Amino acid sequence: MSGDHFFGFDVATTVYKRVNGHGIALGLLTPKNMQPGKHPLMIRYHGGFLVTGATLFPGFFARWILQYALKYSAIIVSPDYRLLPESNGLDIMDDLSDLWKWVHRDLNSFVSEVREGIEVDLERILLVGESAGGYLTVQLGLSQESSTIKAIISTSPSLDLRTPHYSTNPPPTLFGFPTLPPMDNYLALMKAGEIVTSADPPTRMPLAISIVQQGKLLDLLGTESRLYPMDQLERINKFPPLFITHGENDSAVPMQGSVNFVEKLKKVLPESQIVLYVHPGVDHGFDRTAEASDQWLQEGLNMITEAWLG
């Protein structure tokens, strides 16, 4: 973890859940200059193809997200979750649900231990995630009926998973990676019951790339309908305001998936508040060095701020 990356925050970690004795961690970021009182919450999920990544890995934690939180004196909770292929999609969904319960049951007591006089406003929750984390924030928004999820920011998310990109016609290259060997040996050597919940890239990145290139991601995720956001849209009657950003030339997570999701959401819930910004000519992860003041972010952030903070 890079202290410089989170220089405006005090950083703490804890375990929000245990599975077979394995603790699943989260990072807590509280702005150093925040005043005593009640503050809004940002729950941020990291990316990494659901295979790699970690709560406070700085390479995936976009600078503009941190700046946005500091601007509004927001507390950030960034959880780990069980990773593929040792676990499956339903395991990850259970972790999302248990994190949500922990936030409402235990977060304020943990915050009071690390920052005296600070309270989390659980009526003002913003979900944020990039790539696979963007998928998870939308999944959490689709599964939670609570009105305390005020808005969602989803960057380069995997939302239309039944497209050929993820199975029958996987990409030969992903942001410059050549075709990698199949991960069969890795799967054969996995121990029964093994759990992995964090990895700082490049650890496990070749495994993640190989899984996608071999068209195996959905096999490992699972076939249950509730794992697929496009299916979930058919069963909802409300959804929080949503800001999606996506690179036009995304080689890892095709931009068309975000377009398809937004089109279907508008059909299901015509009154939905949605901003979809497609950034021309860029690949996956284009926003990691962006600034919160960048012009292309303003329409979406203005909508999110109004919905989140009023």
Side-chain angles (χ1 to χ4, degrees):
M1 183 186 73
S2 169
D4 289 345
H5 194 72
F6 302 108
F7 69 93
F9 296 86
D10 288 330
V11 180
T13 59
T14 190
V15 169
Y16 72 90
K17 175 179 179 176
R18 292 188 181 275
V19 179
N20 298 333
H22 182 103
I24 306 180
L26 62 81
L28 177 75
L29 303 177
T30 53
K32 290 181 179 292
N33 62 355
M34 72 184 339
Q35 299 300 308
K38 217 169 193 180
H39 295 268
L41 175 64
M42 176 187 292
I43 299 176
R44 176 262 178 182
Y45 277 95
H46 70 77
F49 296 98
L50 301 176
V51 176
T52 187
T55 166
L56 295 175
F57 174 62
F60 286 174
F61 218 125
R63 185 166 55 199
W64 69 270
I65 293 293
L66 295 170
Q67 293 170 347
Y68 185 55
L70 286 173
K71 181 177 179 178
Y72 293 105
S73 195
I75 294 163
I76 303 176
V77 167
S78 181
D80 282 330
Y81 48 88
R82 280 175 282 182
L83 298 173
L84 307 178
E86 288 80 5
S87 301
N88 59 40
L90 293 181
D91 295 329
I92 298 172
M93 294 306 111
D94 285 346
D95 295 343
L96 265 63
S97 177
D98 288 336
L99 183 279
W100 186 255
K101 294 172 185 174
W102 184 90
V103 162
H104 287 81
R105 183 187 64 235
D106 297 325
L107 176 57
N108 263 312
S109 61
F110 179 57
V111 169
S112 68
E113 293 175 10
V114 298
R115 290 292 296 269
E116 185 176 356
I118 301 300
E119 183 180 356
V120 182
D121 186 350
L122 296 176
E123 296 298 316
R124 295 191 294 171
I125 298 177
L126 168 66
L127 306 183
V128 177
E130 76 283 346
S131 194
Y135 158 77
L136 295 179
T137 60
V138 169
Q139 282 290 92
L140 187 56
L142 288 164
S143 64
Q144 300 294 334
E145 290 297 319
S146 172
S147 62
T148 58
I149 297 179
K150 296 300 186 184
I152 299 174
I153 298 174
S154 187
T155 302
S156 307
S158 311
L159 299 180
D160 192 358
L161 290 168
R162 297 194 193 278
T163 60
H165 176 88
Y166 298 102
S167 54
T168 60
N169 187 30
T173 61
L174 297 177
F175 33 76
F177 276 83
T179 300
L180 299 179
M183 71 306 182
D184 298 352
N185 288 342
Y186 184 92
L187 297 178
L189 293 172
M190 282 193 322
K191 299 176 183 177
E194 186 176 3
I195 295 172
V196 178
T197 57
S198 68
D200 282 2
T203 302
R204 290 172 65 95
M205 185 58 80
L207 174 65
I209 297 293
S210 176
I211 286 171
V212 177
Q213 288 178 338
Q214 300 299 321
K216 300 297 185 182
L217 182 64
L218 302 190
D219 294 340
L220 298 171
L221 182 69
T223 60
E224 292 81 4
S225 181
R226 73 184 183 98
L227 298 174
Y228 293 81
M230 295 289 281
D231 293 1
Q232 290 270 71
L233 283 178
E234 298 170 6
R235 297 186 284 270
I236 64 169
N237 54 32
K238 63 179 179 178
F239 194 74
L242 173 64
F243 177 30
I244 296 178
T245 68
H246 215 127
E248 178 185 27
N249 298 335
D250 195 322
S251 61
V253 180
M255 171 271 296
Q256 189 61 42
S258 288
V259 174
N260 295 346
F261 182 86
V262 166
E263 288 178 350
K264 187 168 183 178
L265 177 56
K266 288 180 176 178
K267 289 179 181 178
V268 172
L269 297 175
E271 70 281 8
S272 299
Q273 291 181 264
I274 309 165
V275 173
L276 169 61
Y277 178 80
V278 176
H279 203 299
V282 296
D283 203 342
H284 200 69
F286 72 94
D287 69 311
R288 288 175 189 159
T289 58
E291 304 284 340
S293 59
D294 286 354
Q295 188 56 43
W296 64 268
L297 284 165
Q298 299 317 301
E299 180 185 2
L301 289 185
N302 288 341
M303 179 193 69
I304 293 297
T305 303
E306 177 62 27
W308 180 31
L309 304 176

